Amino acid sequence: QVHLVESGGGSVQAGGSLRLSCAASGYTYRRQLAWFRQAPGKEREGVAAISPGGSDTYYSDSVKGRFTISQDNAKNTVYLEMNDLKPEDTAMYYCALRTTWDPLSVLSQAQYNYWGQGTQVTVSS
């Protein structure tokens, strides 16, 4: 059974930075990881994803240039470095894992098998 645990959320002012971490355990062979977020009253959206080997990264337009996804395969951990945060980045952030690889659907939540419990990010103006 796969288990994902996020950490690193918190409250910051606009323009600040946060670094989220997600530690994966259980079945982690040939897995692909991503970050999603959900703001109150809104649908969950894909934020960033990374290919299984870590060579390719993918971002939503809303965070491109401000967020960076990376992973440490030895630690089975994926990170999301968030810079120049804006109030509209306020949301619950979720780590997700899938055991298939399709670069055309990396930010589609329906493709992911496993989810973490989420970590809250709040950005004040």
Side-chain angles (χ1 to χ4, degrees):
Q1 182 68 25
V2 174
H3 193 49
L4 303 172
V5 179
E6 302 101 330
S7 61
S11 298
V12 296
Q13 291 190 329
S17 299
L18 282 173
R19 188 194 196 205
L20 305 183
S21 300
C22 172
S25 59
Y27 178 85
T28 56
Y29 175 72
R30 200 180 294 174
R31 82 292 185 268
Q32 187 249 311
L33 291 154
W35 288 95
F36 290 77
R37 68 184 181 186
Q38 187 167 22
K42 295 188 177 181
E43 293 186 357
R44 189 173 298 185
E45 64 168 338
V47 173
I50 190 164
S51 61
S55 59
D56 298 305
T57 56
Y58 307 82
Y59 300 95
S60 66
D61 289 341
S62 60
V63 307
K64 198 172 296 182
R66 300 187 297 121
F67 290 12
T68 303
I69 188 171
S70 61
Q71 66 185 14
D72 183 333
N73 288 331
K75 296 181 179 179
N76 289 321
T77 300
V78 64
Y79 305 96
L80 186 67
E81 184 75 34
M82 305 185 295
N83 297 314
D84 190 23
L85 283 162
K86 304 176 180 181
E88 51 263 41
D89 293 318
T90 295
M92 185 72 79
Y93 282 71
Y94 298 91
C95 175
L97 180 150
R98 64 176 177 176
T99 54
T100 58
W101 170 233
D102 175 10
L104 299 180
S105 63
V106 289
L107 295 181
S108 171
Q109 63 168 323
Q111 303 300 317
Y112 288 82
N113 312 85
Y114 304 97
W115 295 83
Q117 81 289 348
T119 186
Q120 178 68 36
V121 171
T122 302
V123 184
S124 58
S125 58

